Amino acid sequence: MQDIAICIQIRDGNSRLPGKGSMKLEGEPMYVHLMRNVGRCVEFINKHAVKKGAKAKIYFLVPMDEYEYWNDVSDTILRKYDIDVVPGNPENNSDVFYRYEKVFKSFKPSYIVRITGDCPFIPSALINKAINCAQHHKLDYVSNVDPKYRTMPDGYDVEVISDELFLWLIKNIDNGYETDREHVTTYIRRCVPDWARCATITGAFDTSDFKYSIDTKADYEELARRYGAKKIKDDEARKDGLGVYEY
């Protein structure tokens, strides 16, 4: 059995762009756009893995002081996406690894998938690709985020970690920097053990200079402009009798 925990770390209390997790794009909060993409991925996994007894489950990983807010938010989409909200370290909001460890110990997945809430338009096909690579090639770490090898846009960030490597990380992460617990996987990329099998997901071209994540007001305004233009073209296609399917 290869259960998969898809973990979305998300928060509203951002100093550069307060409330960004709930900011709206074309009338819908960012997390709804993100969940639409992740939801397609989970639906695909659960449909094709059911014969093997495997399943995928979604978790919102949130700071402790935002738990009630996100629990109320998730309640509106809980029935559709079956989301569990996991609160963070009550003594340290920056300890993001604490949240992943809680999911790992409670759900006991074969793989943990790491996605961040400021990447609302990450394609579901890309998430599926990363998971399929990890499973098919029996890999311990698959990602497209390492700056040394990155060819995909900022905002298409996905990482997949095997249970064996995550256990190793639990035992070793505190040997690194304090920021490793905040950034979760930096210790893996810096100190990966010899036995771990790792891979990078690459694009057809180097588009790493493109930005589809939202960190600042300027990012938000630019993404809102681009998404609005896309919606206009989608609506035109529908008016012309075409089906419109996102990848």
Side-chain angles (χ1 to χ4, degrees), residues 70-134:
W70 287 109
N71 205 41
D72 290 342
V73 162
S74 73
D75 197 43
T76 64
I77 53 177
L78 185 62
R79 292 183 182 178
K80 185 172 183 179
Y81 297 112
D82 190 25
I83 300 167
D84 278 1
V85 182
V86 179
N89 188 334
E91 299 178 357
N92 183 3
N93 273 341
S94 296
D95 185 6
V96 181
F97 184 77
Y98 175 96
R99 307 171 208 169
Y100 283 86
E101 189 174 358
K102 283 180 71 173
V103 171
F104 184 79
K105 289 181 177 179
S106 62
F107 186 52
K108 297 179 174 59
S110 297
Y111 295 97
I112 279 187
V113 180
R114 179 176 182 246
I115 297 172
T116 55
D118 55 5
C119 300
F121 297 110
I122 181 171
S124 59
L126 175 58
I127 305 170
N128 280 328
K129 179 67 174 180
I131 295 170
N132 288 339
C133 282

Side-chain angles (χ1 to χ4, degrees), residues 16 51 68 109 135-136 150 160 176 188 222 224 239 244:
R16 287 185 293 177
K51 293 182 180 179
E68 290 186 8
Q135 291 178 314
H136 181 74
R150 181 171 200 136
V160 182
I188 291 177
E222 177 63 12
K239 288 178 183 177
V244 178

Side-chain angles (χ1 to χ4, degrees), residues 11-42:
R11 61 173 177 159
D12 246 21
N14 184 277
S15 58
R16 287 185 293 177
L17 189 60
K20 74 173 184 178
S22 303
M23 293 182 77
K24 292 186 177 182
L25 293 161
E26 290 293 304
E28 293 183 307
M30 282 208 308
Y31 63 82
V32 171
H33 293 283
L34 177 58
M35 286 313 310
R36 190 175 291 125
N37 293 327
V38 176
R40 284 199 298 268
C41 170
V42 170

Side-chain angles (χ1 to χ4, degrees), residues 146-162:
D146 193 320
K148 185 177 180 181
Y149 313 113
R150 181 171 200 136
T151 62
M152 290 189 176
D154 182 350
Y156 279 17
D157 301 16
V158 59
E159 299 172 86
V160 182
I161 312 161
S162 72

Side-chain angles (χ1 to χ4, degrees), residues 194-211:
D194 293 339
W195 52 263
R197 301 188 65 205
C198 304
T200 185
I201 300 291
T202 190
F205 304 99
D206 185 353
T207 57
S208 56
D209 55 334
F210 290 15
K211 194 173 193 304

Side-chain angles (χ1 to χ4, degrees), residues 159-191:
E159 299 172 86
V160 182
I161 312 161
S162 72
D163 53 357
E164 189 173 3
L165 185 59
F166 197 83
L167 279 169
W168 172 88
L169 187 58
I170 290 173
K171 296 176 183 177
N172 290 277
I173 193 169
D174 288 332
N175 295 328
Y177 305 128
E178 183 177 347
T179 54
D180 286 327
R181 294 190 67 92
E182 178 180 359
H183 299 293
V184 184
T185 54
T186 48
Y187 188 81
I188 291 177
R189 295 195 295 278
R190 195 173 66 251
C191 306

